[in-house]
Amino acid sequence: KPANNGSYRQTVQLRSGHLDLNSPKFTVSHGDTRLSFSFPDEMATYAELTQSEIDLQGQMVFVGFGLHAPYLNHSDLDKIDLTGKIAVLVQGYPENFPSEEVAHYKRQTTRALARHGAIGAIYLNSPEREEQVPFTRLKSWVSSSRLSWLDAQQNIAYQDEQLGFRVYLSMDASRQFASLTGLDIDAVYQTMADSGMPEAQPLRGRAGLTSSSQLTHISSDNVLGLIEGSDPALKDEYVVLTAHLDHVGISRNSVMKDKINNGAMDNASGVTSLLEIARAMALQDKAPARSVIFAFVTAEEKGLVGSDYLAQHPPVALDSIVANINIDMPILTYRTNEIIAFGEQHSSLSAAIRTATEQHNMQLVADPAPEQVIFVRSDQYSFVRQGVPSLYLTPGFTPVEGDTGMSNGEFLKNHYHMPSDDLSLPIDYQWAADFTRLNLDLINIIANDPDRPTWNPDSFFATFAK
């Protein structure tokens, strides 16, 4: 059935921003010395969504990692006055802090800086960050649009968290900047290497940025379907399933003739899995006890925009949503007997996924790359932030013995976010069916359980429900 007041569509009003690539000019001055950093070779910046013209300058303050993490009893921002100033951060995070908690707070950096009075931010590169996300990648994104959803008054989401500008510097530019402003960047890097916390300090000089962006109003739809529950006492509770509809558009830098990023794995595999679950569930002899909402969400690649709008504007009462299960980019080019359920250690949903994997003779394995903090990087995070216990399922990374398909690592290296993510990949459709069937059984277990899922009391994410 249509899930949104008689409609399958939930229209999301969006503001889109495109940076004028001829406009950015970033300078830093101290005394008679003035440095201009070239865009985009030395510095990267992006469209701003609150205003089309940026012309800001101010004094600078170094704030270490810029980490404001009350749950971890730590704040780099409470140690120094940021009012009306430009915050300077080194990209990275404290190695001895729990990765998912740090990842959440790093995603909230802009909010924290704005609430502490900063008008802008300058991000210095570091050897660790350059290895993880090279500056060349930041440079390649400058021509991409930015998106944010609009509320009923046409204000962009999180408007009070916006800074006047954000600038990212290359390694060489970071050193030049540090030399002029009096920051001992080698000491900062050494502190990071020693798992320490770089100290906040005022910097000498002033920084300024001018840029122009074209702002437009567009819309895109989340698509929402509903299978009504069969239990009179539980049908007004909902399990929400999500998969994202969008991909990353046209590849300007591709050497291939086909420059469309087709997104067969990211995320047509998730969307088709969700469609198949809906078809199979509708054909069951009896619907599950709870109702199930199938949500195909937009603009995930722009920062979980569509799912964030849905989680904050659900078609049912938020407190009636008991769980979210997300399917994002299951790589179906190899067979495995392992399942990764990101987030399972945080809630009672762990019991459901363990039951489902056992029924399918699958092995539930721990997150093999916790440093990538995947649990806060896909659409389930939008529901987590609203206090809803959530899981994100994906095939494990280890192929079964003798499997000759394309490995997870090979796909990520050679096809992820590229035009070659298309139907010519060696997709194992039988494995795709098996993976989808496991998801169906998991959802039935959750939807039929008389007990509502709960966060584990010691989980950081349990604090969101409060």
Side-chain angles (χ1 to χ4, degrees), residues 71 384-387 455-466:
Y71 181 81
V384 169
R385 289 177 65 187
Q386 301 304 316
W455 291 105
N456 296 339
D458 60 349
S459 170
F460 163 65
F461 298 107
T463 63
F464 291 33
K466 301 174 183 178

Side-chain angles (χ1 to χ4, degrees), residues 56-61 80-88 112-121 163-165 205-208:
L56 281 175
Q57 59 176 302
Q59 295 178 317
M60 296 172 289
V61 175
I80 198 160
D81 182 16
L82 274 172
T83 306
K85 297 183 174 66
I86 297 167
V88 178
L113 291 174
R115 291 184 175 181
H116 280 75
I119 62 171
L163 295 172
F165 69 83
R206 297 174 66 83

Side-chain angles (χ1 to χ4, degrees), residues 55-77:
D55 187 357
L56 281 175
Q57 59 176 302
Q59 295 178 317
M60 296 172 289
V61 175
F62 180 65
V63 293
F65 293 122
L67 183 64
H68 181 68
Y71 181 81
L72 301 174
N73 297 313
H74 176 85
S75 178
D76 293 324
L77 308 184

